[in-house]
Amino acid sequence: MTILNLFKIGIGPSSSHTVGPMIIAKNFTTLIKEQNYFPNITRIKIELFGSLGTTGIGHQSDIAVLLGLLGEHPKTIDTNKIEEFILNIKNSLTIKLLNEKTINFSIKDDLILHQRKSLPFHPNGIKLSIYESKEELFSKIYYSIGGGEVLSEEEINNTFNKKDITLPYSFSNAKELLKQCKENKLTIAQVILENEKAYRDEKQTKESLLEIWKVMQTCVNNGLNSDGTLPGGLNVPKRAYKIYQKLKDKRTIDPLAFVDWINLYALAVNEENASGKRVVTAPTNGAAGIIPAVLHYIVNFLVNKEDKEKVIIDFLLTAGAIGLLYQRNASISGADVGCQGEVGVACSMAAGAMAEFLGGTIEQIENAAEIAMEHNLGLTCDPIGGLVQIPCIERNAMASMKAVNAARMALNGNGMHYVSLDLVIKTMYATGKDMQNKYKETSKGGLAVHYVEC
Ligand code: SF4
């Protein structure tokens, strides 16, 4: 229930398929070292199941796992060295676990992407096994459950026995969150800031949020200044650089010119993500452009310099509050509930936070978040070639504008509305569970199969 689990600094192109698998591989390798298996290991085998197996290559899950075995972490890895690390493994036919223990390794035989097998708990399952000659020494199953969050099989079983952290203003749904705000005369941002004190002091929370914002800024800036073609074989040209060249010195009286900028910020982030560069999950990598796009719009166009820090912190706290509701009561994984759980959730988070910035009441904020999700219900995940490019990049731009629109619609009402945020979250989850697997990050349906390369 901490918002810092929703905003993680990592690398592209996918939080569930790149960030999660890298963390899993690093956790497993650290564990086997701690358990003193290193002297005896002669082989390590990694199996990717479900959505990780079917779209793992396009989402670079295979590369992520190898990097994790080397001891790399998504937050700290030097993204310019990834190619060199992978080439070393390929050419030497060895891998140096945690940069310490070298064993033979064949990507073809030891890294298996199952196309038709899944593990029971979640579509993104990974099994890692170690051997001494042919005898299995140890194995463990993990799941990458969305937004870079990972769980081992034991953690799933122990979840309900875990000692709960007591939050000063606990809530399990939007209705309870609003009740806490009203009873204690606090804004949503203030409730979250108080609750985050259960994990760290206020200063640290604020510093972490500003660090997250800094990474978002760097990501936008890198995207705006990076021309060329996206990797992966589809040869999709990057657009942010060219649009930026057009917009940056343009004087215009077009009142809708800000739309171009919001689109541009989202394209910049998602092109960086598709290029495997550093991004912040917000709440996932596939949907990483929406919150930074709306926040860049606010910071660059709508606030004074002296107010910026508070605006940024309150925006991320409010967006985080809404994200927590989805994480707790539904899912933020495209493999679990389709793109409504990624782009839909990010849109809802950004809409609520934008409404907060515009001075909305807590009811209007809840309404904005609800409107944004209501019009993303049923959104499928069907990335062409298993790459987080088409429709993902453009979809972030569309959803960023949808978030702004939802906030403005909510601000023009009085907060009263028929469908509550809790109901729309419940509906999103039920819709996702009803959705056929081919529309849930498998690249077996929708655009992914109807697109034919000429
Ligand atoms: S379609 Fe949506 S959920 Fe699927 S990979 Fe793209 S952004 Fe993620």
Side-chain angles (χ1 to χ4, degrees):
M1 287 295 282
T2 165
I3 57 163
L4 294 191
N5 280 348
L6 293 166
F7 300 119
K8 279 205 205 65
I9 298 168
I11 60 163
S14 166
S15 43
S16 56
H17 288 54
T18 319
V19 174
M22 196 190 299
I23 292 171
I24 286 171
K26 184 177 163 79
N27 287 355
F28 178 78
T29 321
T30 307
L31 179 71
I32 56 171
K33 185 192 165 191
E34 283 166 4
Q35 295 191 352
N36 219 14
Y37 284 114
F38 265 21
N40 303 322
I41 304 175
T42 55
R43 183 186 178 209
I44 187 162
K45 182 171 88 174
I46 308 102
E47 297 169 84
L48 307 188
F49 293 87
S51 172
L52 290 180
T54 51
T55 63
I57 299 290
H59 285 52
Q60 298 183 14
S61 311
D62 51 343
I63 291 172
V65 165
L66 298 178
L67 295 171
L69 296 179
L70 295 176
E72 296 293 339
H73 190 278
K75 187 173 176 181
T76 48
I77 188 170
D78 180 347
T79 53
N80 296 318
K81 289 203 171 147
I82 291 176
E83 215 176 310
E84 180 190 323
F85 288 148
I86 301 302
L87 267 180
N88 270 345
I89 297 170
K90 280 184 183 162
N91 293 340
S92 67
L93 290 175
T94 63
I95 191 159
K96 202 170 183 183
L97 303 174
L98 296 183
N99 202 22
E100 195 180 316
K101 164 80 181 174
T102 303
I103 54 170
N104 291 336
F105 190 82
S106 151
I107 292 179
K108 186 171 147 281
D109 299 329
D110 299 327
L111 179 52
I112 298 150
L113 282 83
H114 292 290
Q115 299 299 309
R116 291 176 194 281
K117 286 190 198 167
S118 296
L119 295 176
F121 175 70
H122 189 279
N124 298 331
I126 301 186
K127 183 176 179 191
L128 300 101
S129 316
I130 48 169
Y131 299 83
E132 180 174 9
S133 297
K134 290 195 173 156
E135 187 198 339
E136 184 180 300
L137 296 173
F138 179 69
S139 74
K140 200 168 161 92
I141 288 174
Y142 294 83
Y143 293 94
S144 174
I145 58 169
E149 284 292 292
V150 306
L151 282 177
S152 69
E153 214 163 26
E154 293 140 25
E155 282 168 329
I156 295 162
N157 297 332
N158 290 337
T159 298
F160 300 107
N161 302 327
K162 269 191 189 162
K163 197 170 148 252
D164 281 334
I165 288 181
T166 311
L167 302 176
Y169 301 106
S170 73
F171 60 89
S172 57
N173 54 39
K175 192 176 170 196
E176 289 174 12
L177 170 61
L178 264 55
K179 192 164 171 259
Q180 289 285 21
C181 291
K182 275 188 211 154
E183 284 180 0
N184 298 291
K185 298 194 176 15
L186 295 171
T187 64
I188 292 175
Q190 285 166 337
V191 164
I192 299 301
L193 193 58
E194 287 302 311
N195 282 354
E196 292 293 312
K197 286 181 186 164
Y199 306 98
R200 69 199 82 76
D201 66 33
E202 184 175 321
K203 187 167 168 274
Q204 279 176 310
T205 298
K206 287 183 171 172
E207 279 171 4
S208 300
L209 292 174
L210 291 173
E211 188 197 357
I212 284 160
W213 167 241
K214 212 167 149 200
V215 178
M216 286 177 174
Q217 278 184 302
T218 307
C219 180
V220 165
N221 203 34
N222 289 342
L224 296 183
N225 292 292
S226 164
D227 200 5
T229 305
L230 295 173
L234 278 180
N235 296 322
V236 176
K238 293 183 183 179
R239 280 184 282 177
Y241 174 81
K242 290 186 186 70
I243 298 174
Y244 181 49
Q245 300 311 310
K246 254 182 23 192
L247 292 185
K248 65 179 182 180
D249 300 318
K250 194 171 157 187
R251 297 276 169 269
T252 175
I253 52 161
D254 177 0
L256 290 180
F258 73 94
V259 175
D260 294 335
W261 282 97
I262 294 175
N263 286 336
L264 175 63
Y265 297 137
L267 294 177
V269 172
N270 289 87
E271 286 177 359
E272 282 294 284
N273 181 57
S275 306
K277 302 291 184 184
R278 176 135 293 125
V279 295
V280 177
T281 63
T284 66
N285 277 29
I290 298 158
I291 286 171
V294 176
L295 190 49
H296 269 79
Y297 163 57
I298 291 172
V299 169
N300 291 349
F301 289 85
L302 306 179
V303 288
N304 298 323
K305 199 172 165 217
E306 55 275 17
D307 298 329
K308 277 183 186 170
E309 255 187 30
K310 181 172 179 351
V311 165
I312 291 159
I313 290 169
D314 283 355
F315 184 96
L316 292 175
L317 288 168
T318 310
I322 296 160
L324 290 176
L325 298 173
Y326 284 98
Q327 199 178 42
R328 183 180 179 120
N329 298 315
S331 171
I332 58 166
S333 162
D336 200 15
V337 292
C339 197
Q340 50 172 2
E342 295 205 12
V343 164
V345 171
C347 181
S348 181
M349 291 166 71
M354 177 86 196
E356 183 272 340
F357 166 74
L358 293 173
T361 62
I362 51 171
E363 288 84 4
Q364 286 169 323
I365 294 169
E366 185 253 4
N367 191 191
E370 180 277 316
I371 293 171
M373 175 50 82
E374 190 178 317
H375 305 289
N376 275 299
L377 286 177
L379 194 66
T380 57
C381 170
D382 53 0
I384 293 178
L387 298 163
V388 193
Q389 297 180 9
I390 307 171
C392 320
I393 297 172
E394 216 169 70
R395 186 167 286 176
N396 274 256
M398 298 300 290
S400 302
M401 274 312 301
K402 196 183 272 190
V404 173
N405 197 14
R408 298 188 73 90
M409 280 181 91
L411 265 284
N412 280 319
N414 62 6
M416 298 254 304
H417 49 286
Y418 285 96
V419 178
S420 67
L421 177 56
D422 286 327
L423 183 63
V424 89
I425 291 173
K426 199 173 159 195
T427 308
M428 182 277 266
Y429 193 48
T431 307
K433 288 297 164 191
D434 280 346
M435 206 181 266
Q436 290 184 41
N437 272 340
K438 65 181 180 177
Y439 298 117
K440 295 196 275 192
E441 215 158 353
T442 55
S443 287
K444 289 181 177 168
L447 281 178
V449 294
H450 292 295
Y451 167 79
V452 181
E453 219 170 341
C454 298

